[in-house]
Structure formats: C-alpha cells, structure tokens
Amino acid sequence: MTGVFQMKVFNTVERMRNFSMSCKLEGKKVGVVPTMGFLHEGHLSLVKKIQKTCDICVLTIFVNPTQFAPDEDFEDYPRDLKKDLKRCELCGVDAVFTPSEEEMYPSDSSTRVVEHELSNGKLCAVSRPEHFRGVTTIVAKLFNSVLPDYAVFGRKDYQQLQIIKRMVRDLNFPLKIIEGEIIREKDGLAMSSRNRYLSDEERMRALSINKSLKVAERDIRYEYIRNPDIIIGKIRKNLNSAGLEIDYVEVLNSENLEKVDKISEKVLIAVAAGIGKTRLIDNILVSP
Ligand code: AMP
C-alpha cells in the first residue's frame, strides 16, 4: 500500500548510518533529537523543531550509563520504550535509534570525549564532576551514528547545550545545533522525565523553583535590581522556605557561564535543587 507511514526502528550503528546515508543521497536533510526516552511534551517540541528544518527526523533513545555516577539513578531511570515508540510514530518521527548498551559501549571501550572549560567547576559539574564527559562522549557517538545535518537540544539543560555547542565547534562536527525552549506544565514546573519520581506533596513544593525564577525576572526587569547577590539571596530564601535542598543558585553570563558582578546584559539564572530523592534543574534567561 502506498502512503502508509512506517517509522523505522534501528538498534545498530550500521543500520542507522545506512538509513541516514541513503536519505542524504536523495538530497534530504537529516535532523536528530537525542533523548534518554520516557518522552514528554518537552521532547516532542524538539521533534517539531527539527521537522521544521529537516526532511528526516531521527529521535534517539538511550539511557546513557556513563553520565550517571554510581550513586545516581541509572537503574531507576524511567523507561517505557513501547509508549515512546507510539508517541514518536504519532508525531511523524521517521526513525528511532535505540541501541543497546553493548552497541554503544563494547566492554573494552576506553575513549572519552572531554570538554574542559564549561564542564569544569560550574553549575551541575560541581556536584556531578563526571557527568558531562559522559554526555559529550555519547552525543559524539550519536552524531557519528546518525550523521545528522542538524541536532536539537533543549535550553532546559542549558549547561549541556553550551557544552555541546562548544564540542561541535571545537571538533568540527559537520552539523548545526538548534535550541529548544523550555516546555513547562500548566503550573510552571519544567517538564522532566524525573518529575515522575515526585510525590504530590513534593511536586507542590517543586513549583517554588519556577516561581522564584519568575520573581527574579520581575525584580531585574521592573525593580531594576542589578546586584546578582540580591537576586540569588531571594531565590535561596524562597527555595529554603519550600524545604528544598539547594545544590546551586547562580546568575551567570549566558554565553560563557562566568559569574557576573552586575546584571548589565543578558544573564542566565540557573537553579538545581533536591526534593526528597529527586534532583531538579531549571533556568531562565533574563535581559535587563
Ligand atoms: P533527556 O531525555 O532528559 O536527556 O532530554 C533530551 C533532550 O530534551 C535534551 O536536549 C533536553 O534539554 C530536552 N528537554 C528535556 N526536558 C525539556 C523541556 N521541559 N523542554 C524542552 N526540552 C527539554
């Protein structure tokens, strides 16, 4: 039958590459949406973005062990491949790449891709020192498997996005990075696969993250507060009142992620906080 859409699912690098190369030979632009699965509207917004620019949308699903520390939630990370594939199909994804752990990391795999500036001593890298080398390694491997012309990453993981942009530039990957806005629940909570760990009561308290970021935005834009310490102090107070365990609250230059003394140009306000066993991150970009 013609006209029936059939999404492809690939488990090996070889099959994935063959598909991409055949699309490119036909003059089609290939875009990739890397994910760890358990898809939500945030992921699907990235699919829509890629579909606007590319002829072929490949979504990858791989829970990457090398970006989790031994005491983190790799084993418990939510997975539902069947549901994810259904959602991809409904969204018109052309192919899903879902390799096994052995496919991506043969037992004697011993090479890692490391970015040394933005991944060091800042934001999430302080409490998760090995995390970003796992991310850059797997993203480089996914790029070499999918051979995309474009790749999309969400601003939800702002530091990750900047690190990947740097890696693409530094290693001359022949592709362009597209950025996706943060998609939120109606009440403001940034969508995340990890939100499913939250109890109802924890979820209520988690709202203080977005609320305090919005207060900070208002303070900068309408109260003309330019001192980052005042902004940080107020956010910390709000998060503490909600009983969150703060990992960091930072006001940084949105490009190089360096601390600013004064808010005089666009800044990133970034938060990471624990609620029970769940660690959540969120951020906002604010121009004074
Ligand atoms: P993950 O599956 O959590 O590794 O995320 C895969 C991609 O989706 C990354 O580029 C994330 O930044 C992006 N992403 C995750 N949550 C959201 C969200 N709420 N809005 C937009 N993009 C998101």
Side-chain angles (χ1 to χ4, degrees):
M1 231 161 66
T2 53
V4 174
F5 168 70
Q6 180 141 49
M7 187 176 79
K8 307 265 190 300
V9 180
F10 301 112
N11 306 117
T12 67
V13 173
E14 193 186 352
R15 291 215 178 107
M16 182 65 246
R17 267 196 200 150
N18 286 343
F19 173 75
S20 280
M21 286 192 293
S22 67
C23 294
K24 287 170 164 226
L25 277 175
E26 291 173 18
K28 292 179 174 161
K29 291 267 174 255
V30 176
V32 68
V33 184
T35 82
M36 295 208 296
F38 210 72
L39 302 179
H40 51 67
E41 292 301 320
H43 297 117
L44 301 181
S45 74
L46 304 181
V47 167
K48 286 187 197 120
K49 267 216 125 116
I50 276 290
Q51 287 170 332
K52 280 201 185 120
T53 315
C54 299
D55 307 295
I56 299 291
C57 172
V58 179
L59 183 136
T60 71
I61 298 177
F62 182 68
V63 184
N64 175 36
T66 63
Q67 69 189 66
F68 290 80
D71 60 342
E72 291 180 352
D73 57 343
F74 174 68
E75 295 297 338
D76 295 335
Y77 195 83
R79 295 161 170 90
D80 191 341
L81 185 59
K82 210 169 146 197
K83 198 165 164 196
D84 286 348
L85 293 178
K86 194 85 225 145
R87 297 200 84 175
C88 287
E89 198 163 23
L90 287 171
C91 289
V93 168
D94 298 279
V96 173
F97 179 48
T98 169
S100 65
E101 215 172 302
E102 300 73 52
E103 179 71 8
M104 294 319 263
Y105 297 107
S107 57
D108 59 351
S109 143
S110 56
T111 306
R112 293 288 180 269
V113 178
V114 186
E115 188 283 326
H116 285 286
E117 185 69 39
L118 305 170
S119 313
N120 255 348
K122 291 183 175 64
L123 300 173
C124 293
V126 177
S127 61
R128 307 183 77 191
E130 304 288 312
H131 172 68
F132 288 113
R133 75 172 57 193
V135 172
T136 39
T137 300
I138 193 63
V139 171
K141 288 169 70 65
L142 292 171
F143 287 168
N144 284 333
S145 308
V146 179
L147 309 173
D149 300 293
Y150 290 85
V152 65
F153 292 88
R155 290 207 182 115
K156 159 88 175 8
D157 300 271
Y158 194 89
Q159 187 177 15
Q160 167 177 287
L161 169 66
Q162 299 307 319
I163 291 168
I164 288 165
K165 278 164 54 175
R166 181 70 64 93
M167 176 187 81
V168 164
R169 187 200 72 184
D170 289 353
L171 299 185
N172 306 98
F173 277 101
L175 57 92
K176 291 195 177 63
I177 298 294
I178 299 175
E179 303 186 12
E181 299 303 318
I182 302 177
I183 305 298
R184 300 178 177 282
E185 305 284 357
K186 279 205 184 81
D187 57 14
L189 184 67
M191 290 193 184
S192 163
S193 306
R194 288 191 168 99
N195 289 351
R196 78 118 52 177
Y197 298 148
L198 300 170
S199 67
D200 290 348
E201 184 267 341
E202 287 171 339
R203 202 188 168 294
M204 283 299 291
R205 290 195 285 128
L207 296 180
S208 61
I209 298 177
N210 180 239
K211 276 190 195 151
S212 57
L213 287 173
K214 279 163 81 176
V215 170
E217 179 182 34
R218 202 189 56 208
D219 284 346
I220 293 170
R221 292 181 65 176
Y222 304 114
E223 304 292 332
Y224 306 106
I225 295 176
R226 297 290 175 257
N227 180 345
D229 292 336
I230 296 179
I231 298 292
I232 292 170
K234 200 162 165 186
I235 296 176
R236 294 188 78 98
K237 197 167 159 226
N238 286 336
L239 299 182
N240 280 327
S241 315
L244 271 57
E245 201 173 301
I246 298 170
D247 180 351
Y248 60 74
V249 178
E250 301 273 16
V251 177
L252 304 173
N253 177 296
S254 61
E255 296 287 317
N256 59 19
L257 306 184
E258 294 293 338
K259 290 191 183 182
V260 294
D261 297 331
K262 188 168 180 251
I263 301 170
S264 52
E265 54 195 341
K266 186 153 92 174
V267 286
L268 170 78
I269 310 177
V271 169
I275 306 169
K277 280 197 223 150
T278 311
R279 181 178 181 277
L280 297 179
I281 58 171
D282 200 349
N283 68 76
I284 193 167
L285 287 168
V286 183
S287 298

